[in-house]
Amino acid sequence: MLTTVGIFVLLCIVGKLTGNLGENVARRGQVAQSSMYGNAKPENAIDGNRASNYYQESCAHTNNDLNPWWRLDLLKTYKINTVTITNRQDCCPERINGAEIRIGNSLNDNGNVNPRCAVISSIAAGASQTFACNGMEGRYINIVIPGRREYLTLCEVEVDGTLSGKSCPILLVCSGQCWV
């Protein structure tokens, strides 16, 4: 018979093997972007669908803007563990090169001056890549291509994080996840 501690250790191991302990908090948020190309609204990037062909209508897409950006408002401050981005598959995967992931609580310059979590050197066509943000805190998550005129296309943005200041009765040491 498993003890309570044994159950938590088992859950920890199963979670590590399946990768299912994290929660995509992006789905709860509100989004905006610098402009909208066609019908590629910013909400498409948090619809839970990693479809990476633009014509499947699941990607957010800006016009050819100077410093194009996309912003997720989580409505509350979160500690962000990771941000996963799915790149467009059917065209132009290099457009994402040099984009920055920024996390913070400021809306100065549309949130594009918040602290930087990562710079995206490249993401293969149609691939999803995860960037570690190591508990950075913020309400806003921005993806911006600074310093050039470009289209920004995001086919999915997933955010693993926990509410900042949340009390945690059971913390799974193996994952840093909180169980209530």
Side-chain angles (χ1 to χ4, degrees):
M1 183 168 178
L2 288 175
T3 65
T4 303
V5 172
I7 291 170
F8 289 127
V9 170
L10 181 60
L11 287 171
C12 187
I13 292 168
V14 170
K16 277 291 193 189
L17 293 176
T18 64
N20 288 334
L21 284 174
E23 177 187 359
N24 181 11
V25 297
R27 303 282 312 270
R28 300 180 192 163
Q30 297 175 352
V31 287
Q33 60 190 27
S34 54
S35 63
M36 190 168 71
Y37 181 86
N39 293 322
K41 59 190 177 195
E43 292 83 2
N44 290 354
I46 59 167
D47 63 2
N49 183 352
R50 286 186 175 185
S52 57
N53 182 318
Y54 171 78
Y55 298 101
Q56 292 173 306
E57 299 181 0
S58 185
C59 301
H61 197 311
T62 69
N63 289 319
N64 190 18
D65 297 337
L66 179 61
N67 306 317
W69 56 268
W70 177 93
R71 181 180 65 237
L72 169 64
D73 180 354
L74 293 171
L75 307 175
K76 294 181 180 178
T77 300
Y78 280 77
K79 289 183 179 182
I80 307 303
N81 300 315
T82 61
V83 175
T84 301
I85 297 174
T86 301
N87 198 10
R88 183 173 175 174
Q89 186 270 326
D90 61 308
C91 167
C92 327
E94 71 283 352
R95 289 177 179 168
I96 195 87
N97 298 357
E100 298 177 348
I101 301 169
R102 294 189 168 261
I103 298 171
N105 291 313
S106 172
L107 280 177
N108 290 341
D109 189 20
N110 293 302
N112 295 320
V113 294
N114 280 317
R116 187 171 58 205
C117 161
V119 176
I120 301 168
S121 57
S122 67
I123 302 174
S128 298
Q129 188 169 335
T130 299
F131 300 89
C133 299
N134 302 316
M136 289 179 71
E137 291 196 22
R139 172 178 171 173
Y140 304 105
I141 298 176
N142 279 48
I143 299 168
V144 58
I145 302 175
R148 73 178 201 260
R149 184 170 294 280
E150 188 60 89
Y151 296 94
L152 174 62
T153 307
L154 301 167
C155 293
E156 194 65 23
V157 178
E158 299 161 84
V159 178
D160 175 28
T162 56
L163 199 53
S164 187
K166 177 180 176 182
S167 65
C168 186
I170 302 168
L171 178 66
L172 293 179
V173 176
C174 65
S175 68
Q177 295 296 310
C178 185
W179 277 39
V180 190

